[in-house]
């Protein structure tokens, strides 16, 4: 297996982008990544695109080839594949690109992730997101997607004494980080009171415990590590990649408060990187809801199971804490265009490891981890990265 | 949920009558029924036997849905719970006939046959199980 590095990154602004189409967004992110990597169309061996539900959000399937076309590659006939794993679609696209280079088949691959969610309106967007849950045995009975995460929160509060204030602090922290991210959907701080006072969506979760409905795209150029220095001074190597699955329905799992897909994917990624959780300097985790970040830092092994809420109290995960989490603002403040999220996490890791994160730069950032979840934990993909 | 009626109709045995199945190798009970046992895998093939569940269990966790899907909007706020059935499987269902502040983890519940949702005002009506407090 060959080593693989990121040599270029590109992002669009995340948010309610009424004046931009699906096609414009992915073309913008892709061309930024290609220019950043200083490659040309003819250098690209393959394209992988993560999108959860382009079919329902913009009535367009077959977006692998479409992305190649709108990126200006129709005359190059580059192989282009769309990858789907609900909200982990982007992370899976990164992993498919990674595997295709590691295997020796490809040398340079462009990975994209996109979702254009606002065109359908909020109610429809929520129902489309719910297709990531078990439609026949959860959604049919009236369980919403926030409702499923709310049930994780209720059980976490019951078993470990986690509080609504601790959940709210996750949102406060991620908004504080989003202030320093020019691509974030929300770039203003929020108060603990405003999170606690927000209208209830699915008790115990309020509106400000939830990531927003977002439009946006992200892109990367991956390259065989041995050739990466030809293109950039600062290639960032992927030193671990792990993926795992679990039941679609939360009720089918071994433990309501543990995402075993995260546990197993992390085990694989740590083993490949020959690292332990203690070696990670900072992480981007899948905070689709505030409770999800608390479970993530536990399941990734950063803190013991049940101590996630305490870790928030102790400010371990703030920008100047011992393990900064979601320096980009996370899904909560940066926004969560679902297919783009897993790719955007790798963009943030690369930006931090290049030392180009500006006011949100983590001091002495050497090793970063990205954690991307599909549904309520049926899919998880994790990448660990290091500067070369 | 605008969908073909057959998609609902073929799940009537489970949703109306709690028909699950049991692995002939390790005796684990599944609901909804599975093609094979995830613990015994190939050893369970051809040995999965239908079994009727009592529809009784205990609340493992719950939420109160305030913002519901279109088909459930008229019912909000309503509780949704994960229930561990006496035979072992866990399922997701609505809790009914119970004040919201009385829904608790550990509460003993039993199933009741109810209307779940409807395709608009003239479409098919979908029935299934909800749960209420067990009578002492």
């Amino acid at each position: 297996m060959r080593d693989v590095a990121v040599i270029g990154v590109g992002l669009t602004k995340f948010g309610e982008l009424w004046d931009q189409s699906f096609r414009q967004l992915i073309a913008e992110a892709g061309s930024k990544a290609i220019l950043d990597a200083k490659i040309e169309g003819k250098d690209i061996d393959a394209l992988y695109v993560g999108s959860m539900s382009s079919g329902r959000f913009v009535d367009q399937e077959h977006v692998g080839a479409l992305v190649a076309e709108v990126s200006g590659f129709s005359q190059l006939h580059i192989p282009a594949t769309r990858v789907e794993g609900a909200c982990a679609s982007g992370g899976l696209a990164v992993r498919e690109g990674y595997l295709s280079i590691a295997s020796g088949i490809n040398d340079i691959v462009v990975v994209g992730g996109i979702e254009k969610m606002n065109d359908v309106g909020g109610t429809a967007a929520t129902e489309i997101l719910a297709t990531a849950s078990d439609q026949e045995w959860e959604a049919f009975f009236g369980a919403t997607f926030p409702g499923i995460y709310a049930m994780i929160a209720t059980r976490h509060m019951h078993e470990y004494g986690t509080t609504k204030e601790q959940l709210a602090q996750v949102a406060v922290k991620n908004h504080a980080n989003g202030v320093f991210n020019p691509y974030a959907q929300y770039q203003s701080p929020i108060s603990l009171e405003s999170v606690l006072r927000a209208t209830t969506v699915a008790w115990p979760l309020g509106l400000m415990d939830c990531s927003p409905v977002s439009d946006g795209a992200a892109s990367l150029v991956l390259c065989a590590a041995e050739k990466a220095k030809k293109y950039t001074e600062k290639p960032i190597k992927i030193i671990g990649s792990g993926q795992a699955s679990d039941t679609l329905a939360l009720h089918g799992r071994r433990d309501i408060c543990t995402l075993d897909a995260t546990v197993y994917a992390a085990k694989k990624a740590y083993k490949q990187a020959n690292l332990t959780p203690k070696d990670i300097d900072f992480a981007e985790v899948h905070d689709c809801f505030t409770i999800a970040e608390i479970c993530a830092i536990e399941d990734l092994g950063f803190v013991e199971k049940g101590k996630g809420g305490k870790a928030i109290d102790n400010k371990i995960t703030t920008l100047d804490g011992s393990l900064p989490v979601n320096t980009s603002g996370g899904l909560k403040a940066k926004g969560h265009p679902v297919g783009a999220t897993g790719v955007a996490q790798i963009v943030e890791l690369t930006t931090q490891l290049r030392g180009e994160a500006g006011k949100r730069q983590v001091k002495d950032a050497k090793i970063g981890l990205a954690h991307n979840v599909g549904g309520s934990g049926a899919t998880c993909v994790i990448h660990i990265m290091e500067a070369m | 949920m605008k969908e073909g009626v057959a998609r609902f109709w073929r799940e009537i045995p489970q949703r109306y009558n709690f028909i699950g199945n049991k692995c002939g190798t390790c005796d684990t009970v599944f609901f909804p029924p599975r093609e094979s046992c995830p613990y015994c895998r190939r050893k369970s093939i051809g040995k999965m036997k239908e079994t009727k569940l009592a529809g009784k269990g205990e609340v493992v966790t719950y939420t109160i849905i305030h913002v519901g899907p279109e088909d459930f909007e008229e019912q909000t706020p309503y509780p949704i719970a994960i229930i561990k059935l006496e035979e072992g499987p866990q399922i997701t269902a609505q809790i009914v006939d119970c004040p919201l502040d009385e829904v608790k983890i550990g509460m003993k519940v039993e199933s009741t046959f109810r209307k779940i949702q409807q395709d608009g005002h003239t479409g098919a009506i979908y029935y299934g199980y909800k749960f209420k407090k067990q009578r002492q």
Side-chain angles (χ1 to χ4, degrees), chain A residues 100-269:
Chain A
S100 80
I101 295 174
S103 72
I105 298 275
N106 294 322
D107 283 336
I108 293 185
V109 164
V110 178
V111 176
I114 173 148
E115 218 73 57
K116 174 73 189 166
M117 300 168 71
N118 279 295
D119 280 1
V120 295
T123 312
T126 310
E127 292 194 27
I128 295 168
L129 288 175
T131 63
S133 66
D134 189 324
Q135 284 293 298
E136 309 283 322
W137 302 103
E138 289 181 314
F140 174 81
F141 294 96
T144 60
F145 198 54
I148 292 166
Y149 271 96
M151 289 197 286
I152 299 178
T154 308
R155 186 75 204 181
H156 208 283
M157 291 161 90
H158 174 80
E159 273 191 54
Y160 305 114
T162 303
T163 63
K164 276 192 65 154
E165 286 73 15
Q166 289 169 338
L167 297 178
Q169 287 291 7
V170 172
V172 172
K173 169 185 72 73
N174 290 348
H175 274 259
N177 293 347
V179 169
F180 303 121
N181 184 353
Y183 295 97
Q185 183 159 355
Y186 302 116
Q187 298 174 31
S188 48
I190 54 170
S191 68
L192 182 68
E193 294 68 39
S194 69
V195 183
L196 291 171
R197 270 204 321 266
T199 177
T200 305
V201 172
W203 183 90
L205 301 182
L207 188 63
M208 301 292 273
D209 287 290
C210 311
S211 56
V213 172
S214 315
D215 305 327
S219 183
L220 305 171
V221 179
L222 299 178
C223 177
E226 73 229 28
K227 298 181 179 169
K229 288 264 167 135
K230 249 174 67 182
Y231 300 97
T232 173
E233 304 270 284
K234 293 183 199 166
I236 307 297
K237 215 159 94 172
I238 296 177
I239 56 173
S241 175
Q243 183 186 338
S245 64
D246 204 340
T247 61
L248 244 64
L250 175 63
H251 62 231
R253 313 256 173 87
R254 177 185 63 81
D255 176 31
I256 300 294
C257 299
T258 306
L259 278 69
D260 272 342
T262 295
V263 174
Y264 281 80
K267 205 179 281 180
K268 288 176 191 172

Side-chain angles (χ1 to χ4, degrees), chain B residues 7 11 14 16-17 32 39 46 56 64 67 71 73 79 81-82 84 91 93 98 105 108 117 121 124 128-129 134 136:
Chain B
R7 186 176 155 188
E11 280 168 2
Q14 291 88 51
Y16 285 20
N17 293 321
Y39 306 105
K56 287 185 176 172
I64 312 292
V67 181
D71 295 333
E73 252 168 15
I82 290 180
K84 187 170 177 63
I91 59 168
C98 177
I105 288 175
K108 303 267 189 220
Q117 49 173 296
H121 291 298
Y129 49 77
Q134 262 182 41
Q136 298 303 316

Side-chain angles (χ1 to χ4, degrees), chain B residues 5 7 9-10 14 19 24 28 33 35 38 41 44 46 50 52 58 60-61 63-64 76 82 88 107 112 114-115 127:
Chain B
V5 172
R7 186 176 155 188
W9 166 83
R10 73 174 82 97
Q14 291 88 51
I19 306 296
T28 307
E35 300 304 315
R41 296 190 295 279
S44 69
E50 259 189 20
K52 174 145 171 55
E58 191 179 301
V60 175
T61 186
T63 175
I64 312 292
T76 57
I82 290 180
M107 185 169 101
T112 171
R114 297 289 169 94
K115 173 180 166 181
Y127 295 94

Side-chain angles (χ1 to χ4, degrees), chain A residues 260-331:
Chain A
D260 272 342
T262 295
V263 174
Y264 281 80
K267 205 179 281 180
K268 288 176 191 172
Y270 287 134
K271 188 176 175 206
Q272 184 189 349
N274 197 21
L275 295 173
T276 70
K278 287 192 183 66
D279 300 314
I280 304 298
D281 295 324
F282 69 102
E284 286 289 299
V285 310
H286 197 91
D287 61 320
C288 49
F289 299 94
T290 49
I291 182 63
E293 179 164 323
I294 289 181
C295 290
I297 60 175
E298 296 170 352
D299 298 337
L300 291 166
F302 298 150
V303 299
E304 213 180 295
K305 181 50 66 187
K307 301 277 171 66
K310 243 317 175 267
I312 304 298
D313 281 342
N314 294 339
K315 307 211 179 296
I316 288 168
T317 55
T318 58
L319 209 45
D320 52 4
S322 57
L323 178 71
V325 170
N326 285 330
T327 56
S328 68
L331 283 53

